[in-house]
Amino acid sequence: MYVVIRKFSKMRSVPEAARRAESGIGQILRQSPGFQEYHVFDCGNGSGGSVTLFDSREAALAANEKALAWIRASLADLIQGEPEITAGEILATVKP
């Protein structure tokens, strides 16, 4: 499995961005081959981010460009600048 983490340091409203993302980018991701999960989180102090899980690196890269295009078009009034992106292969998983 492969993970993509996006962090936005300066956001006007993390809850509003999450609301838009759930229906907007959520639809894009659901239609992307290899998509597993998507989570949005609030870091506090105007920062927020997302964690997206894919079957493979290739699936993540294919969906990433679509996701960034949606972010630029749909969240421009809520974010400043580009997100910091961290991605990599998941090496261990712990579940209850």
Side-chain angles (χ1 to χ4, degrees):
M1 213 169 352
Y2 199 82
V3 63
V4 177
I5 302 167
R6 289 183 188 84
K7 183 176 180 198
F8 299 86
S9 297
K10 297 178 182 175
M11 299 184 74
R12 207 182 86 222
S13 173
V14 177
E16 175 60 18
R19 186 190 67 72
R20 291 182 196 177
E22 191 170 16
S23 60
I25 201 168
Q27 289 295 1
I28 293 168
L29 292 171
R30 282 187 197 99
Q31 296 170 2
S32 298
F35 168 70
Q36 293 292 317
E37 295 180 38
Y38 176 71
H39 305 274
V40 176
F41 57 93
D42 189 337
C43 302
N45 297 320
S47 294
S50 67
V51 176
T52 313
L53 300 175
F54 295 92
D55 287 341
S56 66
R57 179 179 186 275
E58 294 75 22
L61 292 176
N64 189 54
E65 288 307 312
K66 293 177 188 174
L68 287 174
W70 182 89
I71 289 166
R72 290 177 187 126
S74 302
L75 299 180
D77 61 324
L78 298 178
I79 61 174
Q80 292 180 10
E82 293 289 309
E84 176 185 330
I85 300 174
T86 304
E89 191 72 31
I90 295 175
L91 302 178
T93 301
V94 177
K95 294 184 179 185

